[in-house]
Amino acid sequence: MKTAKLLSIAAAMALATSIAFAEQSQGYTPSPENLQARKEFAENRFGIFLHWGIYSTYAQGEWYFQNYPIDKYEYAKAADAFYPHRFNAAEWVSAIKASGAKYICITSRHHDGFSMWDTDQSEYNIVDATPFKRDVLRELADECERQGIKLHFYYSHIDWGRDDYPKGRTGLKVIGINRDKENWSQYYNFMNAQLTELLTNYGKIGAIWFDGLWDHDQDTVPFDWQLEEQYALIHRLQPACLVGNNHHITPFEGEDIQIFERDIPGENKAGLSGQDISRLPLETCQTMSWAWGYKLEDQNYKSTEELIQYLVSTAGKGANLLLNIGPRANGELPERAVERLYAMGEWMNVNGETIYGTTAGDIPAQEWGVTTRKGDRLFVHIFNLKDTELVLPLECKVKKAFTFADKTPVKFKKTTEGVKLIFDEVPSGVDYIVELITK
Ligand code: GLC
């Protein structure tokens, strides 16, 4: 081969390498503000999820629109009946803050496509389409700012009612959709314009919480959601805003947190959480009863004890708990939910130190409970022990052991398996916490 040709091949290869490198370095690098927000998010450990929309008027959960063959124009009439006269942002935020939660995530637009703010992108919104005419997201955003609690927006990638949304595997029973009008780029622009409003007009937003990507997980040709550009838009508008996506798979580039639905990371009881655990801050979303959106027959609330142990167990795995409430159509938080909020708060007021700002403990979840760690302090959370002895398979050395509640010393002994705690009586209560000082 002639030297000139060899040289030009070498030059082409060098160019290709530099292009590949440039492409790589164009990848997502979280800003310092974003990294700080991730840290704070993980320290906060506890948030409250709110599923609220015109679906609440049907009181059948947020999937009602697609569960039956329902005409979209008939469904939309719920907007004209949506008058949540008991809605009071200050009361909501106070009750949520009382629980010890550090952030609120509310559905800005769920799969039914109804927008809960004064959007210019569609008249199908709370200000233009309901007699209530109030922008509840604005009221909530102002109140969160006033009471010092972060606000996150849930945003659905799905829209069961719009013609231009390219239909996936859900929403197919909805009547009145003209599938000839499917138009991804139009729908994508609509979403981005809505996200721009949410991130421009409502102050600092802690996170955008996407949902619905799984709608296209059975497509024969992989569906391109153009997430990278959408995530970049969010980070450009608010660098500290965390991007999370409830897609049930390993996080994509540009995501700042990893979400697990109805399961503590590493468990997969509900069948939606088989994905690997990443190094991003983790969040488990879970319901207080069964449904997300208000459902009349769903009054089977988890007990306060169960919820506290779930929160502690989530922290024991190094994850946050985003605990859901479905407010009623009249704007009230169901009283059982409010009772749970206050009861959890009472517990968090006393024991929050063993949850906020902790990392996963040294020992994976056991029959008897879990552990959390903060520096040299290891918190042993005992939910269920039938004995006066507990062997902890610890690798570190223990300097001191005492009850977290009243600092009473707890006897301990080094054994071949680790460290044995010896109690005078069988530990009882919702969470009997022993603090170990380790070295
Ligand atoms: C699921 C449901 C949705 C709910 C979400 C909350 O993805 O589709 O209705 O909002 O879970 O985690």
Side-chain angles (χ1 to χ4, degrees):
M1 216 181 276
K2 294 222 173 78
T3 322
K5 194 164 181 195
L6 272 176
L7 276 176
S8 71
I9 291 173
M13 279 171 67
L15 184 65
T17 316
S18 70
I19 290 172
F21 184 75
E23 267 170 8
Q24 254 174 38
S25 56
Q26 269 167 19
Y28 173 54
T29 310
S31 63
E33 301 96 300
N34 188 281
L35 294 173
Q36 178 60 27
R38 290 181 186 192
K39 191 169 160 277
E40 284 169 21
F41 171 80
E43 285 169 359
N44 285 338
R45 278 292 177 261
F46 183 27
I48 292 293
F49 212 172
L50 297 171
H51 274 71
W52 199 41
I54 58 167
Y55 45 80
S56 314
T57 56
Y58 295 110
Q60 289 302 312
E62 77 292 356
W63 273 60
Y64 181 60
F65 186 24
Q66 83 94 54
N67 290 345
Y68 301 92
I70 288 178
D71 185 300
K72 72 175 202 177
Y73 297 102
E74 287 302 315
Y75 178 86
K77 288 180 184 160
D80 195 40
F82 193 64
Y83 195 86
H85 60 104
R86 292 198 192 280
F87 172 70
N88 180 324
E91 279 176 22
W92 279 21
V93 174
S94 306
I96 291 171
K97 273 195 78 175
S99 73
K102 300 290 183 198
Y103 60 97
I104 298 174
C105 182
I106 185 164
T107 47
S108 62
R109 174 176 147 280
H110 206 274
H111 312 330
D112 72 343
F114 187 80
S115 299
M116 293 294 279
W117 77 99
D118 187 14
T119 178
D120 286 338
Q121 311 311 319
S122 150
E123 292 199 339
Y124 196 40
N125 75 63
I126 191 156
V127 173
D128 295 322
T130 76
F132 195 55
K133 299 196 183 308
R134 278 161 54 187
D135 183 338
V136 294
L137 293 196
R138 164 151 337 275
E139 293 182 26
L140 202 58
D142 290 349
E143 195 56 38
C144 284
E145 168 78 28
R146 212 169 288 135
Q147 295 200 37
I149 182 167
K150 293 204 171 75
L151 182 63
H152 298 184
F153 287 139
Y154 168 108
Y155 189 85
S156 173
H157 270 132
I158 300 178
D159 195 309
W160 290 326
R162 283 178 69 101
D163 290 332
D164 57 2
Y165 171 68
K167 301 296 161 295
R169 63 174 163 84
T170 68
L172 299 174
K173 283 183 269 190
V174 172
I175 300 166
I177 302 289
N178 183 351
R179 293 197 61 168
D180 293 340
K181 290 198 176 156
E182 282 184 12
N183 183 338
W184 165 249
S185 64
Q186 182 180 305
Y187 179 67
Y188 184 65
N189 291 337
F190 157 78
M191 287 195 292
N192 290 342
Q194 284 212 315
L195 290 165
T196 304
E197 291 178 353
L198 290 172
L199 290 161
T200 312
N201 304 331
Y202 294 85
K204 272 175 79 177
I205 301 306
I208 296 290
W209 205 101
F210 286 110
D211 190 23
L213 184 129
W214 34 259
D215 197 31
H216 279 281
D217 62 8
Q218 288 169 12
D219 290 13
T220 38
V221 179
F223 189 83
D224 182 6
W225 288 95
Q226 295 180 256
L227 293 179
E228 227 172 276
E229 206 180 313
Q230 194 164 60
Y231 292 171
L233 168 75
I234 295 169
H235 289 133
R236 198 161 55 242
L237 292 167
Q238 293 203 22
C241 180
L242 303 175
V243 172
N245 196 327
N246 183 33
H247 44 43
H248 309 148
I249 48 183
T250 311
F252 296 120
E253 169 126 358
E255 293 172 14
D256 304 304
I257 60 171
Q258 183 177 12
I259 297 167
F260 292 79
E261 182 174 335
R262 291 188 189 269
D263 262 306
I264 293 173
E267 290 184 352
N268 191 9
K269 296 180 186 159
L272 301 166
S273 302
Q275 69 271 40
D276 288 340
I277 301 173
S278 74
R279 296 169 64 94
L280 296 177
L282 311 173
E283 184 187 64
T284 285
C285 59
Q286 183 56 279
T287 51
M288 270 198 195
S289 50
W290 188 83
W292 299 100
Y294 183 70
K295 191 166 182 181
L296 206 53
E297 65 267 41
D298 175 39
Q299 299 300 333
N300 191 12
Y301 277 70
K302 295 171 185 76
S303 68
T304 303
E305 290 71 22
E306 261 176 277
L307 291 174
I308 290 170
Q309 290 180 353
Y310 201 80
L311 170 61
V312 177
S313 301
T314 314
K317 192 67 194 179
N320 290 15
L321 174 63
L322 180 61
L323 184 60
N324 183 70
I325 298 175
R328 296 199 183 98
N330 67 356
E332 275 174 333
L333 301 178
E335 49 282 347
R336 283 203 185 87
V338 175
E339 273 166 35
R340 302 293 185 280
L341 289 177
Y342 281 97
M344 290 180 85
E346 256 175 55
W347 188 87
M348 284 296 268
N349 277 340
V350 179
N351 302 294
E353 207 180 324
T354 69
I355 304 297
Y356 301 122
T358 58
T359 53
D362 302 26
I363 309 169
Q366 307 286 318
E367 278 284 293
W368 51 260
V370 302
T371 55
T372 53
R373 184 179 266 288
K374 196 185 265 176
D376 65 351
R377 305 166 75 191
L378 182 68
F379 303 105
V380 182
H381 300 267
I382 304 171
F383 304 151
N384 171 33
L385 189 68
K386 306 257 171 327
D387 204 347
T388 50
E389 291 187 352
L390 176 61
V391 178
L392 304 170
L394 283 178
E395 290 183 6
C396 56
K397 285 201 182 126
V398 173
K399 283 204 288 198
K400 272 190 211 163
F402 46 88
T403 59
F404 178 76
D406 57 13
K407 318 296 169 213
T408 310
V410 173
K411 290 183 220 103
F412 64 96
K413 232 205 275 178
K414 173 111 194 68
T415 71
T416 44
E417 293 138 278
V419 175
K420 186 197 279 181
L421 301 180
I422 305 151
F423 304 100
D424 295 336
E425 278 171 32
V426 174
S428 61
V430 52
D431 179 7
Y432 187 96
I433 308 171
V434 179
E435 177 171 345
L436 306 180
I437 307 295
T438 64
K439 55 178 171 189

